[in-house]
Amino acid sequence: MSRLKTAVIGTGFMGRVHLEALRRVEHVDVIAVAGRQMDSAKKLADLYDVPAAVTDYKELLKDPTLDAVHICTPNASHYPIAKASLLAGKNVLCEKPVAVSTQEAEELTALAAETGLRNCVCHNLRFYPMVQQMRRMREAGQLGDVLVAQGTYSQDWMMFDTDWNWRVDEKASGPSRVMADIGSHWFDMVEHITGLQVQSLCADLQIFFPTRKQPKRSVESFTGKMPSEEDVDITPVTTEDFGAVIFRLGQSARGAMTASQVSAGRKNGLSVEIYGTKASVAWNQERPDELWIGNRNTPNQIIIKDPSLLLPSAGKYADLPGGHSEGYDDTFKQVFRRFYASIADPSLPADYPQMKDGLRQMRLLDAELASSKNRSWVNPK
Ligand SMILES: NC(=O)c1ccc[n+]([C@@H]2O[C@H](COP(=O)([O-])OP(=O)(O)OC[C@H]3O[C@@H](n4cnc5c(N)ncnc54)[C@H](O)[C@@H]3O)[C@@H](O)[C@H]2O)c1
């Protein structure tokens, strides 16, 4: 099988995670890293034995041998980079949210369809084996009809007014912060598991810190580095720290969720509970190998990830035997592997989230923002 060539754009948290996962994907070579500063691009390229480092991603797009790009930069740059990449004939794997407006996402979705290139939006959390088990149990009728979906995505890394990141800046992040950053993962997962779409929603978004202490220099995500007082500006905040959403799912199911970046002690606390007419399932990202199954007339169960014991359609998302944990990092490998397999073999279906799924999340975000602003129910487009 001939090898595919790719490049990673962005040298922060996701740049590193993508580079590491790409090392574990068969038949793919990373030929360049692009960053805004040469020193960070070069450092990362050297660390992962990538032959080239550049400061302008457009340089990469001129290379006719390059098959794909990974876009791991702040949200507002996704649209220009994805558009330029598709126009240059490159397959695109873009971090979420796909864009900062529905209009941009619509344009990218249309362009991807027009070009026929493979496109993926990195809603990687779908690819935990236990998330797939929930999905396949629902497909197999084991849950019955879905009645209720509920849960949360709670983190604490923005709980002090000294916490700052480009995500606070609407110009870099878009008009929503928490709902775009992590709420979009939650809704993507719930729609994926249930096979139902949110028909209508009522959202209440809250900014707890109307100002934050912005470092005068840029800081990388999730490093926990604290700036000193003289190094900060007091900056108004326009995007939410917290959101609560109640929603109607499909024809008759109902749901409720919260998303927060100010919940002390919750590091990456995504939980999903699905209640059906036959049984329930509940899963928590911080204990990814466990799935709780709730029954009315027989004892509840906690099953542990073991591909030989999962439904076969879910077991294929796990690479290791039971007792050998698979977590966050592995979800990227699962997405990337399917993305590159579909580039190598055009007859394969796209078994991963695409631009159109990213667009779906942008439409939900629009509805959440409008609902919270007008204190009313909104039907997403
Ligand atoms: N799928 C997931 O689980 C997940 C997790 C975290 C972040 N993300 C997404 O990944 C993206 C990046 O987030 P992050 O946490 O890695 O941020 P980060 O701040 O750690 O890194 C962003 C990097 O992009 C660089 N950059 C900015 N503009 C650029 C440009 N025009 N060209 C090249 N590099 C540029 C910055 O210098 C920085 O190195 C965001 O869209 C975010 O929503 C996804």
Side-chain angles (χ1 to χ4, degrees):
M1 185 172 172
S2 65
R3 297 187 69 81
L4 295 167
K5 290 186 178 164
T6 195
V8 172
I9 305 170
T11 56
F13 173 43
M14 274 306 107
R16 282 196 305 273
V17 168
H18 281 232
L19 275 167
E20 206 167 291
L22 277 163
R23 288 191 141 191
R24 301 200 286 151
V25 175
E26 302 81 1
H27 315 300
V28 178
D29 294 318
V30 184
I31 61 164
V33 171
R36 275 185 311 180
Q37 276 100 32
M38 182 48 94
D39 56 348
S40 50
K42 181 94 178 65
K43 200 166 144 198
L44 205 58
D46 286 348
L47 206 59
Y48 290 92
D49 299 322
V50 175
V54 299
T55 50
D56 182 358
Y57 71 88
K58 291 189 187 116
E59 285 300 306
L60 301 173
L61 303 180
K62 292 181 192 153
D63 180 345
T65 70
L66 186 73
D67 296 292
V69 294
H70 287 234
I71 303 172
C72 302
T73 54
N75 307 348
S77 57
H78 293 178
Y79 165 78
I81 301 177
K83 184 175 174 180
S85 304
L86 289 168
L87 288 172
K90 307 304 175 196
N91 300 286
V92 168
L93 194 151
C94 182
E95 265 304 342
K96 45 50 64 176
V98 64
V100 290
S101 73
T102 297
Q103 200 189 349
E104 287 180 357
E106 280 169 351
E107 207 186 305
L108 290 177
T109 306
L111 186 58
E114 230 169 81
T115 57
L117 290 159
R118 295 293 188 166
N119 57 97
C120 174
V121 175
C122 200
H123 280 296
N124 54 303
L125 306 187
R126 286 185 188 186
F127 287 82
Y128 282 103
M130 289 318 209
V131 172
Q132 288 302 320
Q133 174 74 3
M134 289 191 277
R135 171 192 176 203
R136 302 302 182 168
M137 286 175 72
R138 192 270 307 159
E139 283 176 356
Q142 295 179 5
L143 306 182
D145 295 329
V146 173
L147 300 175
V148 174
Q150 66 189 42
T152 188
Y153 202 153
S154 299
Q155 303 178 332
D156 68 2
W157 66 286
M158 296 299 289
M159 71 172 282
F160 300 133
D161 71 352
T162 45
D163 293 324
W164 182 267
N165 185 264
W166 58 261
R167 287 166 176 81
V168 182
D169 175 5
E170 197 169 332
K171 287 199 292 302
S173 176
S176 159
R177 172 157 38 96
V178 168
M179 298 312 299
D181 199 31
I182 53 178
S184 66
H185 270 314
W186 194 92
F187 276 110
D188 178 79
M189 185 180 288
V190 163
E191 292 195 335
H192 183 65
I193 295 168
T194 63
L196 301 172
Q197 288 209 321
V198 173
Q199 304 292 326
S200 190
L201 61 81
C202 183
D204 183 21
L205 310 183
Q206 175 65 0
I207 300 171
F208 292 115
F209 299 105
T211 59
R212 283 182 181 266
K213 293 176 179 143
Q214 177 180 9
K216 291 177 178 154
R217 296 169 292 103
S218 77
V219 283
E220 199 178 282
S221 306
F222 313 120
T223 51
K225 287 175 199 151
M226 299 284 277
S228 61
E229 288 289 320
E230 64 273 15
D231 286 340
V232 299
D233 290 323
I234 305 299
T235 303
V237 173
T238 55
T239 56
E240 76 280 2
D241 297 307
F242 172 86
V245 187
I246 54 173
F247 55 90
R248 296 177 168 214
L249 189 61
Q251 289 309 304
S252 61
R254 295 290 185 270
M257 66 83 74
T258 58
S260 166
Q261 289 174 334
V262 292
S263 300
R266 294 294 179 209
K267 303 303 173 190
N268 204 19
L270 184 162
S271 72
V272 169
E273 301 180 355
I274 310 287
Y275 297 97
T277 52
K278 289 190 188 162
S280 320
V281 281
W283 176 81
N284 173 351
Q285 177 169 233
E286 292 180 330
R287 302 177 74 92
D289 283 351
E290 291 177 13
L291 178 66
W292 179 88
I293 302 174
N295 302 304
R296 164 71 184 258
N297 291 331
T298 53
N300 297 336
Q301 295 171 284
I302 292 176
I303 62 167
I304 304 296
K305 184 223 72 173
D306 179 336
S308 68
L309 301 177
L310 299 181
L311 292 172
S313 50
K316 64 183 186 191
Y317 294 81
D319 284 352
L320 303 177
H324 299 73
S325 59
E326 281 172 271
Y328 181 74
D329 264 2
D330 300 278
T331 62
F332 290 90
K333 179 186 66 177
Q334 297 292 345
V335 178
F336 299 175
R337 176 186 284 163
R338 285 166 174 77
F339 176 69
Y340 285 100
S342 77
I343 295 173
D345 179 353
S347 71
L348 285 178
D351 178 19
Y352 45 82
Q354 299 176 80
M355 293 284 181
K356 62 183 169 64
D357 301 283
L359 169 59
R360 167 77 191 144
Q361 290 310 315
M362 293 310 299
R363 289 185 167 147
L364 287 185
L365 286 172
D366 273 357
E368 287 155 17
L369 289 163
S371 167
S372 186
K373 186 168 169 215
N374 303 321
R375 299 188 167 210
S376 62
W377 281 81
V378 173
N379 299 343
K381 262 217 281 175

